[in-house]
Amino acid sequence: WLPTGDWINSAKASAPSGITINTESYSSTQHTIWLVSGAVNTQYSITSRIWTNGGRRDDRSFVINVRER
């Protein structure tokens, strides 16, 4: 979705209480989020917020379901 010449300049993940962002990193085209903990049989909405060198801000959210292995 990024136009030519635009790239991720900064990124930050957010998560509700109960699940922890262990690490996160980003490159010019992706934001990677590693999560730990979380209560079994619980859904959490995680948000990735990125800013681009072209001044755009974009939020993308996803839901993760924690299950016992």
Side-chain angles (χ1 to χ4, degrees):
W1 67 273
L2 290 170
T4 301
D6 204 5
W7 60 86
I8 296 174
N9 195 21
S10 179
K12 182 68 179 159
S14 62
S17 62
I19 195 163
T20 302
I21 298 168
N22 187 41
T23 60
E24 60 180 304
S25 61
Y26 66 91
S27 68
S28 62
T29 59
Q30 68 182 16
H31 183 200
T32 302
I33 305 163
W34 287 94
L35 303 165
V36 294
S37 68
V40 174
N41 295 323
T42 303
Q43 290 185 337
Y44 298 95
S45 179
I46 311 300
T47 299
S48 165
R49 174 171 285 175
I50 63 108
W51 294 267
T52 72
N53 67 306
R56 292 175 175 80
R57 187 188 92 186
D58 190 55
D59 291 349
R60 303 284 172 109
S61 295
F62 61 92
V63 173
I64 187 166
N65 298 301
V66 176
R67 299 289 184 246
E68 191 166 353
R69 292 181 110 183

